[in-house]
């Protein structure tokens, strides 16, 4: 078939970028808003006089949500490889909307005892399953839908949208902090952002229904090179690419721990350890994350020019060496500007991972198992390390050894550093048979980690 006109092709890519990004924004808004508002609703579900213990309970439920990520990664990743990226993206946002509504109407301890905490737990499990599939579906979709020489740029919008989702949550938090009293926020105001999230999801559901499937998946599911549907997205096929799956886990380890340390945990750390006011700490996070989101596309474009490994290695070295001094300085930060400067320094380092990790993981696998290959090992790494980062930090704090957490983050980054040094660069990987044929004609050698089959 003749190629579509250039303007039409750009329009398709633009819609794909918007649809994939906005849906991802809502997903991660709902996911992160739990952590942002935990300081206000912790005592509504867990009675007691110790604020740290209450936060540990809510952080525990936050971590439990990550345990469903491998389940969601398996179920929804399999669905994305079998039935298409579009259908999986639509399903994930529906699940997240239901979970947000459950949290919004959950009864407090005073109303129904620990039944409210049970509803909270069930909602987080559903959110975890949804996010487990969303990450892989959006990473795969954004990477496949981007022009080959702009995959770093296209996939960088995954963390742009993730961060904007968190910023939206923080923006609502700042607004509520200035319009409601603390008592009102702790009584009923914390429910507002979850209602907003459910409403946003309805709009995104409609938008994602209009998306077009990626060319790579259409090639995989039809034509003479198509594989039998029963073999697509299966654990048996994933096992054939177990080396790539191991790479995904190892390269995710340091990035996910660092990301959650400097995003979801940062506000609590500034309040609990630096003694900063909640409103000031929230403003620091909001400003730092805004600039962090702006950085992602530039780093993605840079990777399209120089490759993925240089950025990954820069992140890992910076995080391994810099975590302890940065976190120590943040713990004694006495002003908004000092805390902001240190937070920005940390997030600039983390950008080396966040801006391109989606593309790197998608570029490791062939189309028939790409979504599952990204989803499952990533979900396991997040369940074990990303979701527990905040809980581990609070545990070290409660035991009187808070600075041991800084070494923990550095150690995770060092493991990823070794992986980045040893793995090949994936920038030139062919994601479809058409691209592989182009490379064959041009005599271009492909990375051994990115078979097209």
């Amino acid at each position: 078939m003749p190629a579509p006109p250039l303007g039409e092709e750009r329009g398709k890519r633009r819609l794909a970028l918007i649809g994939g990004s906005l849906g991802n924004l809502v997903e991660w808004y709902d996911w992160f808003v739990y952590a942002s508002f935990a300081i206000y609703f912790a005592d509504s579900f867990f009675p007691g006089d110790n604020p740290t213990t209450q936060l540990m309970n809510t952080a525990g439920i936050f971590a439990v949500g990550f345990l469903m990520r491998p389940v969601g990664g398996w179920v929804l990743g399999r669905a994305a490889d079998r039935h298409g990226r579009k259908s999986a993206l639509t399903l994930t946002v529906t699940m997240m909307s239901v979970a947000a509504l459950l949290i919004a109407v959950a009864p407090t301890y005073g109303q129904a005892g620990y039944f409210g905490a049970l509803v909270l737990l069930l909602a987080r499990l559903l959110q975890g399953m949804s996010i487990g599939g969303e990450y892989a579906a959006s990473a795969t979709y954004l990477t496949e839908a981007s022009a080959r020489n702009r995959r770093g740029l296209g996939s960088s919008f995954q963390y742009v949208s993730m961060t904007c989702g968190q910023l939206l949550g923080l923006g609502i938090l700042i607004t509520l902090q200035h319009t409601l009293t603390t008592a009102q926020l702790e009584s009923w105001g914390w429910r507002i952002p979850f209602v907003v999230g459910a409403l946003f999801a309805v709009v995104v559901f409609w938008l994602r229904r209009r998306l077009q499937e990626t060319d790579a998946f259409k090639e995989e599911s039809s034509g003479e090179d198509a594989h039998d549907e029963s073999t697509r997205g299966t654990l048996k096929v994933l096992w054939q690419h177990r080396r790539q799956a191991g790479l995904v886990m190892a390269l995710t380890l340091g990035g996910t721990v660092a990301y959650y340390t400097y995003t979801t945990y940062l506000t609590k750390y500034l309040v609990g350890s630096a003694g900063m006011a909640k409103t000031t700490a929230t403003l620091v996070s909001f400003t730092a994350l805004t600039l962090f989101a702006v950085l992602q596309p530039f780093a993605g474009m840079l990777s399209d020019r120089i490759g993925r490994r240089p950025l990954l290695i820069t992140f890992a070295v910076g995080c391994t060496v810099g975590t302890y001094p940065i976190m120590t300085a943040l713990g004694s930060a006495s002003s908004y500007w000092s805390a902001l400067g240190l937070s920005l320094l940390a997030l600039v380092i983390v950008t080396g991972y966040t801006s391109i990790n989606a593309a790197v993981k998608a570029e490791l696998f062939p189309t028939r198992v790409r979504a599952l290959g990204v989803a499952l090992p990533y979900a396991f790494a997040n369940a074990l390390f990303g979701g527990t980062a905040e809980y581990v930090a609070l545990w070290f704090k409660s035991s009187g050894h808070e600075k041991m957490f800084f070494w923990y983050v550095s150690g995770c980054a060092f493991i990823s550093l070794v992986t980045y040094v040893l793995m090949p660069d994936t920038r030139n990987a062919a994601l479809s048979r058409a691209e592989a044929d182009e490379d064959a004609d041009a005599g271009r050698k492909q990375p051994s980690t990115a078979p097209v089959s």
Side-chain angles (χ1 to χ4, degrees):
M1 295 182 62
L6 184 59
E8 180 182 339
E9 184 67 21
R10 288 178 176 173
K12 287 170 56 180
R13 295 191 189 282
R14 190 176 297 113
L15 178 60
L17 185 64
I18 294 173
S21 298
L22 285 182
N24 200 45
L25 183 153
V26 173
E27 288 269 354
W28 290 96
Y29 161 84
D30 285 332
W31 180 258
F32 281 119
V33 81
Y34 176 97
S36 299
F37 279 81
I39 55 178
Y40 291 105
F41 67 72
D43 61 349
S44 295
F45 295 97
F46 302 101
D49 298 325
N50 190 327
T52 300
T53 301
Q54 292 172 341
L55 284 176
M56 285 182 68
N57 285 327
T58 55
I61 290 182
F62 183 81
V64 167
F66 279 78
L67 298 180
M68 285 299 288
R69 282 194 173 193
V71 178
W74 173 52
V75 174
L76 297 171
R78 179 185 176 94
D81 284 328
R82 287 197 170 197
H83 307 295
R85 321 312 189 197
K86 173 184 172 180
S87 62
L89 287 170
T90 304
L91 180 57
T92 58
V93 77
T94 302
M95 295 169 61
M96 187 61 76
S97 177
V98 173
L101 278 176
L102 283 176
I103 298 177
V105 301
T108 63
Y109 179 83
Q111 295 169 331
Y114 282 111
F115 177 74
L118 178 61
V119 173
L120 199 65
L121 175 62
L122 291 175
R124 289 300 290 179
L125 292 175
L126 184 60
Q127 284 187 330
M129 185 173 181
S130 173
I131 285 291
E134 169 67 23
Y135 177 86
S138 62
T140 302
Y141 187 82
L142 288 171
T143 304
E144 290 181 348
S146 298
R148 188 175 186 181
N149 63 343
R150 294 188 175 184
R151 286 181 187 146
L153 172 62
S155 65
S156 71
F157 280 89
Q158 185 181 50
Y159 266 82
V160 171
S161 57
M162 284 175 62
T163 305
C164 286
Q166 188 173 5
L167 286 172
L168 180 59
L170 285 173
I172 291 177
L173 175 58
I174 292 172
T175 300
L176 293 178
Q177 285 175 335
H178 287 83
T179 56
L180 299 177
T181 65
T182 300
Q184 289 173 326
L185 268 172
E186 293 175 347
S187 176
W188 55 268
W190 61 266
R191 298 182 186 272
I192 295 175
F194 296 103
V195 175
V196 172
L199 294 176
F200 281 158
V202 175
V203 176
V204 172
F205 175 85
W206 172 81
L207 180 62
R208 282 189 165 178
R209 293 283 292 178
R210 300 179 60 215
L211 294 178
Q212 295 188 31
E213 192 53 78
T214 65
D215 291 338
F217 179 80
K218 287 188 288 188
E219 175 193 85
E220 173 65 29
S221 58
S222 63
E224 59 182 22
D225 292 326
H227 289 87
D228 183 359
E229 182 179 316
S230 64
T231 67
R232 297 202 303 265
T234 63
L235 294 176
K236 180 179 180 180
V237 176
L238 180 60
W239 180 251
Q240 297 172 6
H241 302 279
R242 54 189 176 276
R243 178 172 177 270
Q244 290 94 320
L247 283 175
V248 170
M249 289 194 67
L251 68 89
T252 300
L253 170 60
T256 190
V257 171
Y259 179 74
Y260 283 104
T261 297
Y262 293 116
T263 55
T264 59
Y265 180 60
L266 178 64
T267 303
K268 299 180 183 64
Y269 181 67
L270 291 175
V271 172
S273 297
M276 194 167 289
K278 291 180 181 179
T279 52
T280 304
T282 302
L283 187 58
V284 168
S285 294
F286 184 88
T287 308
L289 286 172
T290 299
L291 297 174
F292 173 70
V294 172
L295 284 175
Q296 304 308 300
F298 294 101
M301 286 190 290
L302 181 61
S303 79
D304 286 327
R305 287 181 172 270
I306 67 174
R308 320 297 190 210
R309 289 177 68 247
L311 271 71
L312 292 172
I313 291 173
T314 299
F315 149 71
V317 171
C319 191
T320 300
V321 176
T323 296
Y324 189 91
I326 290 174
M327 290 295 288
T328 300
L330 277 170
S332 58
S334 58
S335 69
Y336 164 82
W337 291 108
S338 61
L340 177 61
L342 290 166
S343 300
L344 280 176
L345 174 61
L347 289 174
V348 167
I349 294 173
V350 175
T351 295
Y353 165 81
T354 55
S355 60
I356 59 172
N357 80 98
V360 173
K361 293 164 189 174
E363 290 166 344
L364 286 170
F365 295 94
T367 306
R368 61 177 173 152
V369 74
R370 184 167 294 134
L372 181 63
V374 173
L376 201 56
Y378 168 81
F380 273 119
N382 265 272
L384 293 174
F385 302 102
T388 59
E390 183 180 347
Y391 192 86
V392 170
L394 291 170
W395 182 83
F396 275 121
K397 177 179 175 61
S398 66
S399 63
H401 302 285
E402 186 172 37
K403 292 188 176 182
M404 289 298 296
F405 176 69
F406 311 159
W407 292 115
Y408 170 78
V409 177
S410 294
C412 291
F414 179 75
I415 295 174
S416 290
L417 173 60
V418 175
T419 304
Y420 303 151
V421 171
L422 297 178
M423 71 180 290
D425 203 298
T426 61
R427 177 180 50 158
N428 292 322
L431 299 190
S432 66
R433 179 62 59 188
E435 292 181 355
D437 291 341
E438 290 176 2
D439 291 339
D441 293 339
R444 182 183 299 168
K445 185 178 179 181
Q446 293 301 307
S448 59
T449 53
V452 176
S453 58

